[in-house]
Every structure is written in structure tokens, then in C-alpha cells.
Amino acid sequence: MDTVVEHQDSVERYGPQLPATLKEFFLPSGNNETPLSIYGALAFGYSKMQHQPGGFYFGEFTPDFLLKLNDWIFLEAEIGIGSDGTVSAGSFAQMDFFVNDWLTIVAGRFVAPIGWYNERLNNPWINKLPGDAPGSMPPLFMQVLPPMALLGVQATGSFYLGCSPLKMEYAAYISTA
């Protein structure tokens, strides 16, 4: 009898047991998800060459804005603020349309989908190599295939090959530059 009474008291005080994803909708503070995310990189450093005075330098500030409009449309944009104060378009300003699980249509200015490095590893929060420091040489793979942005439309995605566990990734695009 005590167990039943304690259980009923618990339900009245704290409400029924809900999954965590559903429970967050009933929190007084609201849920923990926002449609707008802002990431970015601030590049600065200290440079000292032999027989020359050292000093601090400001490389760039590049905030990335990611906005989820709904389950089908995602907006991404980056702006760059250089060391001289100039503001320029970043490497991408695009709109992603999620058609289904294996097809995404991208329109706007996007990073060239050539190679695996450009799309997945050439983000400032992933790539920590000092390629932008004054007087430094860029990494070897940057010399072979520099990252570039294209203005156009892209179809990208992946699918399983038949009933096998092998997955094929693809990216086809049309661009003006």
C-alpha cells in the first residue's frame, strides 16, 4: 500500500515519466534548442623572426551563421572581417533543401565539393593548422587543391549500394565560377 501511495504522490508532484526529448518541451525555461547557431573563428597571434622585433597581429574574424528554418530548409552563411577592417563574403552563403534521406539540394555560394578535405575538414574549428600566419607556408594539401567557393546549384547525398553495407556518396554541381 505504501508503494502505491508513494508512486501516486510522485506522479502528482513531478508529473508522469516522459522521454527526455518530450520532457524538455514542458520545462519552464523552454527547450534547449534554438534555430540559430553562430560559430566562428578569431585568428590572431604573435610573430617573432630572428633579428627583428616581434609583435601581435590580427588575422581575421569569420563568424558562421547557421539557421534552421524548418525540417526541410537550412541556411548557412559566413562573413569575413580582415585585418584591415574590410568585410567580405565568406566561403559560403547557401540554402540547403533536404529533399529526402539521400538527396540534398544546395543553392548559393558553396565550398567546392572536390575532395574530402574541403567540405569536412577545412573549417576553422576543425583545422587548427597555422596556414594563415604571416610568413608561413600553407600546408602541402592547400598547395595542391586550394579551397574555393562556387556560385551555383549542387545535388549531394549518399545511398547504400543494393543490400550491401557499402555507402556511395555523390556530389554533382553546376556553377558559374
Side-chain angles (χ1 to χ4, degrees):
M1 185 70 176
D2 288 339
T3 306
V4 173
V5 172
E6 288 178 13
H7 176 71
Q8 185 61 32
D9 180 55
S10 174
V11 169
E12 288 178 11
R13 286 180 193 240
Y14 305 111
Q17 289 285 351
L18 298 173
T21 54
L22 182 59
K23 193 174 184 179
E24 72 183 12
F25 287 119
F26 300 102
L27 294 175
S29 61
N31 63 22
N32 61 357
E33 187 174 316
T34 177
L36 175 66
S37 297
I38 302 172
Y39 296 93
L42 174 62
F44 65 92
Y46 182 82
S47 179
K48 169 88 170 94
M49 300 288 207
Q50 189 175 12
H51 304 297
Q52 293 180 0
F56 288 96
Y57 66 90
F58 172 73
E60 66 178 350
F61 175 58
T62 55
D64 297 343
F65 299 93
L66 310 171
L67 178 63
K68 180 181 177 184
L69 292 180
N70 54 34
D71 288 339
W72 304 100
I73 302 172
F74 188 66
L75 302 173
E76 304 173 67
E78 177 184 72
I79 59 172
I81 302 169
S83 60
D84 56 355
T86 58
V87 178
S88 63
S91 55
F92 59 89
Q94 65 191 44
M95 182 179 287
D96 299 351
F97 299 97
F98 302 109
V99 178
N100 54 34
D101 288 342
W102 54 270
L103 175 63
T104 301
I105 303 294
V106 178
R109 181 181 165 100
F110 53 88
V111 176
I114 301 170
W116 190 73
Y117 173 80
N118 282 349
E119 286 189 309
R120 295 193 175 108
L121 296 179
N122 195 26
N123 292 316
W125 55 87
I126 297 172
N127 181 6
K128 302 292 186 198
L129 297 172
D132 292 334
S136 69
M137 291 296 293
L140 180 61
F141 46 83
M142 299 293 282
Q143 294 175 2
V144 174
L145 181 61
M148 58 184 175
L150 303 171
L151 181 63
V153 178
Q154 175 182 193
T156 184
S158 64
F159 59 90
Y160 286 100
L161 295 173
C163 295
S164 72
L166 299 175
K167 188 182 277 189
M168 173 72 77
E169 295 184 15
Y170 64 90
Y173 62 92
I174 298 172
S175 73
T176 59

